[in-house]
Amino acid sequence: MKDSLSALSSRRVRRRSGATGLLYPLLGACLWAAVVGYKPVIIVHGLFDSSGDFKNLQQFINESHPGTNVSVIDLFDRSASLQPMWKQVEGFKEAIYPIMQNAEDGVHFICYSQGGLICRGILSTLSDHNVQSFISLSSPQAGQYGDTDYLRYLFPQFVKSNLFHLCYTSIGQRISICNYWNDPHHRDLYVNSSDYLALLNSERSNPNSTEWKKNFLKIKKLVLIGGPDDGVITPWQSSQFGFFDDNETVVEMQQQDMYLRDAFGLKTLGARGDLIICSVPGVQHVYWHSNETVFHLCMEKWLV
């Protein structure tokens, strides 16, 4: 009888030890998350996307940074993403601002494709934003000029060489893609007609440019992600502020006028060591946000 009680007691001790062995790592993980206090991540989608397209990216973040509050903003989905860029900026800003206000240590932005330009509009015009890392994920930051599937779907009667006839009109500027259509063969029309990108990039005189630059430079890191096999962003270097000259030869960011004169802060970010370029081959445009390698290589370390 004594031996049976002793064996039973031993089994109970082993079970408690096993439970304790599982509990300690769990408690440790919870304490680590509490101590680290990962900042909230806000995701803004691109053209024709919706919040449901970012489940993989949310999973990557939650696995690598447990406990992170991830908000994929559910606005201007699908065809509504064609609405004018400034209208979208104001809508996203209204949805995002309360998240910022509740994040004492700041937030991070991951902004995909067209969403990267929307986020720039927010960062430029919101004086009290608290964005730490701005991750621009395959976004046409210097503009778009290419005969892509998107263009053929949206404007079947146009090719890149004649889309300026529509885009650089008051009617065209009511369509999001026209707000950042940058025809290198009609530079003057772009500069004088673009109601969005030409202003953001200070390519046209803008009375708010000094204030916008000050606001934009409040970010701690600018991460520019893109790659040669994107297939949509044209040229792909636009995702890193490179663009065509009038011979359709790509001029890299550091040789662009907007960089050289530090029009809105790129050169300052570079001098601060806060401008990160991440180029990944073999990734098509629609897969950037679901590619785990891209996440670990280009995003993970900037989300703390």
Side-chain angles (χ1 to χ4, degrees), residues 38-49:
Y38 295 120
K39 297 174 182 66
V41 175
I42 298 169
I43 299 174
V44 175
H45 68 74
L47 189 67
F48 297 138
D49 296 324

Side-chain angles (χ1 to χ4, degrees), residues 38 41 43 53-68 70 110 137 287-301 303:
Y38 295 120
V41 175
I43 299 174
D53 297 323
F54 292 84
K55 291 178 180 177
N56 287 334
L57 182 54
Q58 286 180 274
Q59 181 181 336
F60 300 154
I61 295 169
N62 287 326
E63 287 176 352
S64 65
H65 298 76
T68 300
V70 181
I110 301 177
L137 183 58
Y287 297 116
W288 285 104
H289 50 74
S290 59
N291 187 302
E292 192 168 3
T293 299
V294 171
F295 173 76
H296 290 303
L297 188 65
C298 303
M299 293 186 256
E300 183 176 23
K301 67 185 293 186
L303 298 178

Side-chain angles (χ1 to χ4, degrees), residues 66-184:
T68 300
N69 179 16
V70 181
S71 300
V72 187
I73 308 303
D74 191 19
L75 282 176
F76 299 100
D77 293 353
R78 306 305 181 197
S79 61
S81 63
L82 288 168
Q83 294 192 44
M85 292 292 281
W86 283 121
K87 181 177 181 180
Q88 294 194 55
V89 166
E90 292 307 312
F92 277 103
K93 189 190 297 183
E94 185 177 347
I96 287 169
Y97 192 60
I99 302 173
M100 291 181 177
Q101 288 181 306
N102 289 324
E104 183 178 345
D105 296 323
V107 301
H108 299 305
F109 270 2
I110 301 177
C111 308
Y112 169 64
S113 196
Q114 178 178 279
L117 290 173
I118 290 168
C119 288
R120 276 191 60 207
I122 295 170
L123 293 169
S124 297
T125 59
L126 189 57
S127 61
D128 59 343
H129 78 75
N130 58 358
V131 174
Q132 306 298 294
S133 296
F134 167 31
I135 298 175
S136 172
L137 183 58
S138 188
S139 174
Q141 295 291 356
Q144 172 73 6
Y145 184 72
D147 287 322
T148 65
D149 290 341
Y150 283 78
L151 182 66
R152 286 185 282 271
Y153 173 75
L154 285 171
F155 309 110
Q157 72 275 33
F158 288 99
V159 294
K160 68 179 184 180
S161 61
N162 64 16
L163 187 58
F164 76 94
H165 289 297
L166 170 65
C167 276
Y168 299 150
T169 65
S170 58
I171 293 174
Q173 287 296 302
R174 298 175 191 170
I175 305 168
S176 66
I177 190 173
C178 285
N179 290 153
Y180 51 90
W181 186 255
N182 187 354
D183 188 328

Side-chain angles (χ1 to χ4, degrees), residues 92-289:
F92 277 103
K93 189 190 297 183
E94 185 177 347
I96 287 169
Y97 192 60
I99 302 173
M100 291 181 177
Q101 288 181 306
N102 289 324
E104 183 178 345
D105 296 323
V107 301
H108 299 305
F109 270 2
I110 301 177
C111 308
Y112 169 64
S113 196
Q114 178 178 279
L117 290 173
I118 290 168
C119 288
R120 276 191 60 207
I122 295 170
L123 293 169
S124 297
T125 59
L126 189 57
S127 61
D128 59 343
H129 78 75
N130 58 358
V131 174
Q132 306 298 294
S133 296
F134 167 31
I135 298 175
S136 172
L137 183 58
S138 188
S139 174
Q141 295 291 356
Q144 172 73 6
Y145 184 72
D147 287 322
T148 65
D149 290 341
Y150 283 78
L151 182 66
R152 286 185 282 271
Y153 173 75
L154 285 171
F155 309 110
Q157 72 275 33
F158 288 99
V159 294
K160 68 179 184 180
S161 61
N162 64 16
L163 187 58
F164 76 94
H165 289 297
L166 170 65
C167 276
Y168 299 150
T169 65
S170 58
I171 293 174
Q173 287 296 302
R174 298 175 191 170
I175 305 168
S176 66
I177 190 173
C178 285
N179 290 153
Y180 51 90
W181 186 255
N182 187 354
D183 188 328
H185 306 291
H186 297 90
R187 181 74 183 168
D188 289 345
L189 281 175
Y190 158 73
V191 168
N192 293 314
S193 303
S194 172
D195 289 337
Y196 192 76
L197 188 61
L199 293 174
L200 271 187
N201 287 346
S202 288
E203 294 165 293
R204 183 164 88 236
S205 179
N206 174 12
N208 298 309
S209 60
T210 300
E211 181 186 353
W212 287 9
K213 179 178 178 179
K214 180 181 177 182
N215 295 341
F216 185 68
L217 282 172
K218 289 181 179 178
I219 62 174
K220 305 303 181 188
K221 298 289 178 185
L222 172 59
V223 184
L224 301 173
I225 303 171
D229 301 303
D230 182 276
V232 171
I233 304 303
T234 314
W236 75 265
Q237 292 92 338
S238 179
S239 59
Q240 298 165 351
F241 287 99
F243 205 70
F244 293 130
D245 62 14
D246 57 7
N247 293 316
E248 295 192 33
T249 299
V250 173
V251 179
E252 300 291 347
M253 173 179 63
Q254 287 83 355
Q255 280 71 53
Q256 288 286 339
D257 177 69
M258 71 180 90
Y259 184 92
L260 293 171
R261 61 187 176 88
D262 203 23
F264 56 90
L266 279 181
K267 192 173 183 180
T268 296
L269 287 169
R272 279 174 18 190
D274 295 331
L275 179 57
I276 293 91
I277 305 296
C278 194
S279 303
V280 185
V283 183
Q284 296 177 4
H285 187 70
V286 295
Y287 297 116
W288 285 104
H289 50 74

